[in-house]
Amino acid sequence: MSSAATETARLKLTGVTKQYPGCLANDDVSLTIMPGEIHALLGENGAGKSTLVKFIYGVVKADKGMMEWNGQQVDVVDPNAARQLGIGMVFQHFSLFDSLTVAENIALGISKELAGPGLEERIEKISEDYGLPLDPHRHVHSLSVGERQRIEIVRCLLQEPKLLIMDEPTSVLTPQEAERLFVTLRRLSAEGVSILYISHKLDEIKALCHAATIMRGGRVTGECIPAEETAKSMAEMMIGTNLKAPERHDDVTLGDVRLKISSLNVPTDDQFGVSLEDISFDVRAGEILGVAGIAGNGQTELMDALSGEALASNNESIWIEGEAVGLTGPGGRRQLGVGFVPEERLGHGAVPDMTLWENAFLSGMKRMNLMSNGFMKIKETVDYAESVIKQFTVKTPDSSHAANSLSGGNLQKFIMGREIMQSPTVMIALQPTWGVDAGAAAFIHQELINLANNGAAVLVISQDLDELFAISTRIAVIAEGRMSVAKNVSDLTVEQIGLMMGGTHDLPDDPHAQPHVEGGVSHVS
Amino acid sequence: MFLKLESRGEANRNMVYLTPVLAVILTLITGFFLFLAMGHDPFEALYTFFIYPISNSYGISELLVKATPIILCAIGLSMGFRANVWNIGAEGQLTLGAIFGGTVALMFYEQEGWYIIPLMMVAGVVGGALWAAIPAFLKTRFNANEILVSLMLTYVAFQLLSYLVHGPLRDPDGYNFPESRLFSDSAIVPILWEGTRFHVGGLFALLAVVAGWLMISRHLIGFQIRVIGMAPMAASYAGFSEKKLIWFTLLLSGGLAGLAGMFEVSGPVGQLVPSISPGYGFTAIIVAFLGRLHPVGIMMAGLLVALTYLGGESGQITLGLPEAVTGVFQGMLLFYLLASDVLIKYRVVPNFGTAKS
């Protein structure tokens, strides 16, 4: 990156203001990104980052403000215009068609010229060059979140952008994958591509970004050089208050086994799905078992098997509170005291177009006694939803608002709260803080820890190792549908787990595991 | 393409309820020019079509008679539509309800008794539900498309009815006309409004509206129907069974259509004839959407569309308009409704596809 003051900014925003009904999303926001600069945009959910980025990408029009591109004032009327300028964007929520292949999805999002012959070869080349393994022929519905993200990244890179906007790109990657992505990003930066990097993982912003703009409540509240700050000081600029690390009680005495999986086999009927093979583990009262793994190694399948959305072939392979439930559906398992937090918030954990109180009814109807003779007890349901909103500090006027009106972090807090308020004795969560800002993530972590401290057995399946290390009592690794033996978190390092995710099935103190580690590395990279 | 659709963002709630009204107004305006082009005085034609039929109490009673089967069918269909179960065969289920109910009536044609009507109603419901059970079974067992199966079964039902009135159920004293005996008085539904044909079926239609409203807004089954329609994954997360809901919605819509068919033969028709309904089961699809799949909306839409039937008849008699005018008006209603829906969610903008810089 050149520091010459005379150089023209790649992108310069001045006084961007956007008023939504009842909410000033951007208030006089200015931002300058130089060529080749990796610029972090930091802020909690609702801080106005998304609105600002959508303005740059031509998705929303601002009420006031000016955008300069390479020194010339431009009016980006739509994303197509943005792409023609050389702006590429990797969204946090992917816009992919499930029933099409990777190559078809990429072809749909780019210009006709780019989508021409040889596209598949170019996809393979880019995915290889930039360490984003991707098979152009696979159908999107069979891909994990992490793999889907790679499609979006490759789609952008195909268009050789001059400015790449990345919204929470590493939230689904392993440390090694993230490190590999940083190599890619640094290389792009050296090639003169500017990168606007939206994240709340402060360590990686410190490691990667040249400059940072911090937003809160629609305004720019600070600018800094991340390398000169600590993660804590940036977090405090972002949140406006002092940040607390989750409090753990390592001296909790473990109680009975509440969730027991024994030789669970779930063959997949999807040619690209992952079959679960011979999975056994148990979770005791008072502990949090973390399951680490790279996207697409059987996490979704494991979650479906545990929730009962996919039934096991053998009733004896899943036990909850000493009862065999392999053939029991989600409703029956909830009755036994299990709470579930699925990965997709909108459309899986919550119905996007339904109100929050209806979404509270969705999983709480029986446990919270919200029905009489099959009719919904509306007052009780609303009270329940309102108490979730209050106790879990969900930012919304009231429970009559639709689930899709909430930001990702707020909806996740609502879903988490909805499950926790049902006082589950077993809690199973998949990627509980995916795409959630630091404040909400810390809150959710604390709630999971409190739940375990109060005697629940908690299982967290996540690709975020920092998260697992922050909250877990023991950690196991899932790779290619098989699960390693769980080890106490104090006996493990992030690096060991990261290598394990590549495909060896036992944790490092097993003498047979060491030789496989090399193979693990090459698989990851 | 020189035009493209651009999302307007969050839809205005009021507009959702305004679109049906807008569709009606647009239909009237188009009708105005249509009649003008056909060489009629458009004001007179519109009056004949929409005002004259309900300008007296008999006309209003006829409106209610026609709206009854339409509303019964549409309430059932709307439940399925909300759950993404597309039963297009209400006409066939209605026909089977008429056959079952009519057969019971003919079995008891020499008897009197209060129990005959309830028995016919049960038979009608069973007949319609059985006919709808075929697509339900094929969909849940073999994943067969219920749109095709239910639609094709409609024509099977027509043939079945035709066979029965030409054969086994033909009136032995009827000079070989393809009609059954006239039902006995005990098999004719009681008239509610003296001097008209408005019968007890109207009360059941009203009951279906209220019960449907309660079910969809307050009952667990209605909740399940809405969730599975809006977010199938969330339904599976909550542990709702998709198969059970497919069965439920198809049996419900089939049963209600069967009940409508039974009321037709036991009320206005009074015997089994080769053609029971002028397409009430198909019209109910339009009505379900025109009423926003909401029971109260369906009731209002049912009355409006019933008026197009009456208007068509009065247009034929007074102005010599072709019978097809009824279908044209119903088609225009649905067309304008769907068009308004699209334009409320999206705006049409010129498509240049290049950046202004």
Side-chain angles (χ1 to χ4, degrees):
Chain A
M1 178 180 91
S2 163
S3 57
T6 52
E7 198 177 6
T8 329
R10 173 65 42 83
L11 175 78
K12 187 171 181 201
L13 301 179
T14 324
V16 175
T17 301
K18 174 71 186 176
Q19 172 84 50
Y20 281 121
C23 160
L24 190 57
N26 280 164
D27 185 5
D28 195 20
V29 175
S30 298
L31 177 73
T32 305
I33 306 176
M34 302 308 289
E37 181 182 68
I38 305 182
H39 194 107
L41 187 58
L42 255 174
E44 281 206 287
N45 281 335
K49 293 169 303 184
S50 298
T51 305
L52 186 67
V53 165
K54 281 180 185 165
F55 166 67
I56 298 172
Y57 199 57
V59 180
V60 301
K61 290 193 170 37
D63 303 326
K64 265 191 288 182
M66 195 173 72
M67 173 164 160
E68 282 174 63
W69 179 255
N70 292 331
Q72 287 203 315
Q73 193 182 337
V74 288
D75 179 18
V76 182
V77 292
D78 59 18
N80 207 17
R83 281 194 290 269
Q84 293 207 350
L85 286 175
I87 301 175
M89 171 144 187
V90 178
F91 283 95
Q92 188 186 348
H93 298 288
F94 313 138
S95 46
L96 299 170
F97 293 95
D98 280 356
S99 56
L100 299 181
T101 65
V102 170
E104 287 165 340
N105 264 291
I106 290 178
L108 279 174
I110 58 183
S111 66
K112 278 191 202 108
E113 297 74 46
L114 271 176
L119 177 64
E120 283 168 12
E121 288 74 32
R122 276 177 288 141
I123 293 172
E124 272 166 0
K125 184 168 185 314
I126 285 192
S127 69
E128 212 168 281
D129 287 356
Y130 292 102
L132 305 157
L134 205 55
D135 176 355
H137 305 289
R138 282 185 61 174
H139 282 92
V140 168
H141 64 82
S142 67
L143 300 181
S144 68
V145 174
E147 290 164 312
R148 288 173 196 216
Q149 186 191 44
R150 289 180 207 150
I151 304 179
E152 298 272 355
I153 297 177
V154 169
R155 172 149 73 190
C156 280
L157 293 184
L158 269 172
Q159 307 176 64
E160 296 168 1
K162 293 281 172 289
L163 169 67
L164 188 59
I165 305 173
M166 308 204 81
D167 197 356
E168 307 276 357
T170 59
S171 47
V172 288
L173 305 179
T174 67
Q176 284 89 350
E177 280 177 314
E179 202 47 59
R180 181 80 204 178
L181 177 69
F182 295 164
V183 172
T184 308
L185 294 181
R186 288 195 188 101
R187 200 176 108 190
L188 286 167
S189 157
E191 288 169 6
V193 178
S194 306
I195 294 164
L196 182 58
Y197 190 89
I198 302 168
S199 178
H200 54 254
K201 288 194 181 170
L202 303 160
D203 288 325
E204 69 188 32
I205 285 176
K206 254 177 79 66
L208 180 73
C209 299
H210 305 123
T213 297
I214 296 148
M215 289 183 73
R216 188 166 75 230
R219 297 167 147 272
V220 172
T221 52
E223 279 159 6
C224 66
I225 307 292
E228 297 168 2
E229 300 281 334
T230 63
K232 192 163 179 291
S233 68
M234 285 195 289
E236 284 170 7
M237 273 193 260
M238 175 168 89
I239 296 168
T241 54
N242 291 345
L243 195 67
K244 278 191 294 186
E247 287 173 38
R248 302 172 52 164
H249 296 279
D250 287 327
D251 53 344
V252 176
T253 46
L254 296 186
D256 302 333
V257 171
R258 288 194 185 277
L259 173 67
K260 182 178 178 61
I261 310 301
S262 106
S263 305
L264 173 70
N265 287 289
V266 182
T268 178
D269 47 9
D270 177 349
Q271 84 182 97
F272 300 113
V274 176
S275 295
L276 299 179
E277 284 173 54
D278 196 26
I279 290 186
S280 299
F281 62 87
D282 47 39
V283 192
R284 302 165 81 94
E287 75 167 338
I288 297 181
L289 175 65
V291 178
I294 309 167
N297 272 279
Q299 289 94 331
T300 326
E301 288 83 356
L302 179 61
M303 183 69 191
D304 286 348
L306 293 177
S307 72
E309 287 177 60
L311 294 180
S313 44
N314 178 359
N315 199 34
E316 319 264 289
S317 53
I318 301 176
W319 299 76
I320 292 166
E321 302 284 349
E323 264 191 62
V325 295
L327 301 176
T328 307
R333 296 189 195 186
R334 273 212 185 84
Q335 282 294 78
L336 289 171
V338 191
F340 304 106
V341 178
E343 179 174 19
E344 290 284 345
R345 292 181 277 272
L346 284 175
H348 197 176
V351 185
D353 293 321
M354 277 192 168
T355 63
L356 291 173
W357 69 262
E358 285 171 307
N359 273 300
F361 183 82
L362 184 71
S363 82
M365 60 182 101
K366 292 209 177 107
R367 287 281 284 183
M368 300 307 287
N369 196 19
L370 301 176
M371 269 191 298
S372 70
N373 300 322
F375 282 92
M376 304 164 78
K377 293 200 264 185
I378 291 181
K379 188 182 173 299
E380 282 83 348
T381 311
V382 170
D383 288 348
Y384 164 50
E386 293 289 347
S387 62
V388 170
I389 290 169
K390 192 153 170 272
Q391 290 209 19
F392 288 78
T393 56
V394 180
K395 277 184 209 153
T396 181
D398 61 63
S399 65
S400 70
H401 287 258
N404 58 8
S405 71
L406 265 59
S407 66
N410 269 314
L411 184 57
Q412 189 71 350
K413 276 157 88 175
F414 180 80
I415 291 173
M416 189 65 76
R418 174 185 78 187
E419 300 300 307
I420 289 175
M421 296 274 286
Q422 295 174 32
S423 34
T425 52
V426 177
M427 178 67 145
I428 301 170
L430 178 57
Q431 304 270 60
T433 59
W434 180 58
V436 162
D437 62 84
F443 182 88
I444 287 168
H445 289 157
Q446 191 61 57
E447 288 297 332
L448 286 170
I449 288 166
N450 294 347
L451 198 61
N453 288 344
N454 292 332
V458 179
L459 178 71
V460 176
I461 307 170
S462 175
Q463 289 150 38
D464 183 345
L465 281 186
D466 295 339
E467 165 170 281
L468 292 180
F469 273 89
I471 63 174
S472 306
T473 325
R474 293 185 299 150
I475 294 182
V477 174
I478 188 167
E480 290 159 13
R482 299 164 73 89
M483 210 160 119
S484 74
V485 175
K487 290 275 148 66
N488 280 332
V489 80
S490 48
D491 303 335
L492 291 166
T493 65
V494 173
E495 285 68 30
Q496 285 169 332
I497 294 277
L499 293 176
M500 285 291 308
M501 289 163 136
T504 50
H505 301 299
D506 285 297
L507 286 169
D509 67 350
D510 182 336
H512 300 294
Q514 289 301 336
H516 295 294
V517 165
E518 292 302 316
V521 175
S522 64
H523 193 281
V524 168
S525 54
Chain B
M1 288 293 284
F2 299 107
L3 298 174
K4 65 173 183 178
L5 296 174
E6 183 182 277
S7 175
R8 287 181 198 264
E10 208 175 337
N12 185 335
R13 257 205 142 73
N14 292 331
M15 289 308 280
V16 173
Y17 299 106
L18 259 170
T19 39
V21 179
L22 192 65
V24 170
I25 293 171
L26 287 168
T27 304
L28 289 180
I29 294 172
T30 316
F32 180 90
F33 289 105
L34 188 72
F35 288 130
L36 198 65
M38 289 167 74
H40 294 284
D41 175 1
F43 290 105
E44 191 200 346
L46 284 177
Y47 175 83
T48 312
F49 210 88
F50 288 105
I51 312 286
Y52 173 73
I54 48 168
S55 58
N56 55 47
S57 59
Y58 184 77
I60 290 173
S61 77
E62 278 299 295
L63 182 74
L64 298 176
V65 169
K66 293 242 176 335
T68 295
I70 297 176
I71 291 172
L72 276 172
C73 290
I75 293 284
L77 292 182
S78 69
M79 299 299 167
F81 294 166
R82 277 184 182 242
N84 292 333
V85 176
W86 305 100
N87 178 6
I88 304 298
E91 184 77 1
Q93 292 138 21
L94 180 148
T95 305
L96 258 286
I99 292 174
F100 272 55
T103 306
V104 170
L106 295 170
M107 280 163 61
F108 290 96
Y109 87 100
E110 281 172 318
Q111 294 180 35
E112 285 179 22
W114 60 267
Y115 53 87
I116 295 178
I117 295 280
L119 214 56
M120 288 168 65
M121 286 172 56
V122 171
V125 169
V126 168
L130 274 180
W131 213 237
I134 300 172
F137 173 75
L138 293 176
K139 184 173 174 73
T140 50
R141 183 74 182 76
F142 300 109
N143 201 23
N145 186 318
E146 77 279 14
I147 299 177
L148 294 176
V149 177
S150 63
L151 179 62
M152 291 192 294
L153 279 172
T154 299
Y155 302 102
V156 179
F158 290 163
Q159 298 306 319
L160 184 64
L161 174 65
S162 176
Y163 163 72
L164 290 172
V165 294
H166 282 90
L169 297 181
R170 189 174 54 191
D171 184 355
D173 312 320
Y175 308 104
N176 275 341
F177 277 104
E179 289 173 355
S180 76
R181 289 177 200 277
L182 287 172
F183 296 169
S184 72
D185 286 351
S186 290
I188 297 289
V189 278
I191 296 295
L192 283 180
W193 186 346
E194 210 55 55
T196 73
R197 304 198 294 164
F198 183 55
H199 55 84
V200 167
L203 284 187
F204 281 88
L206 193 61
L207 187 70
V209 169
V210 174
W213 193 5
L214 270 179
M215 190 184 87
I216 202 72
S217 62
R218 296 293 157 91
H219 196 272
L220 175 63
I221 291 181
F223 183 77
Q224 294 187 342
I225 285 173
R226 287 186 291 144
V227 171
I228 206 159
M230 291 194 259
M233 294 270 283
S236 117
Y237 167 72
F240 303 156
S241 160
E242 192 189 356
K243 284 189 176 178
K244 274 187 201 159
L245 285 171
I246 290 172
W247 273 104
F248 176 81
T249 52
L250 275 167
L251 292 184
L252 177 74
S253 52
L256 282 173
L259 186 64
M262 173 270 158
F263 278 129
E264 280 306 288
V265 291
S266 170
V269 184
Q271 66 186 134
L272 282 179
V273 292
S275 171
I276 303 289
S277 117
Y280 291 142
F282 291 123
T283 307
I285 299 168
I286 301 178
V287 168
F289 282 105
L290 197 60
R292 298 275 124 187
L293 303 182
H294 187 287
V296 175
I298 286 170
M299 185 173 71
M300 296 192 283
L303 290 169
L304 177 72
V305 171
L307 182 59
T308 63
Y309 277 111
L310 287 185
E313 286 174 8
S314 114
Q316 283 179 61
I317 296 164
T318 324
L319 300 174
L321 293 171
E323 192 192 353
V325 170
T326 305
V328 169
F329 270 92
Q330 290 178 0
M332 283 197 293
L333 266 180
L334 186 62
F335 171 80
Y336 280 123
L337 180 76
L338 297 177
S340 318
D341 271 358
V342 170
L343 293 179
I344 272 156
K345 284 189 193 133
Y346 304 92
R347 64 169 72 85
V348 179
V349 292
N351 184 15
F352 300 116
T354 47
K356 277 186 266 172
S357 54

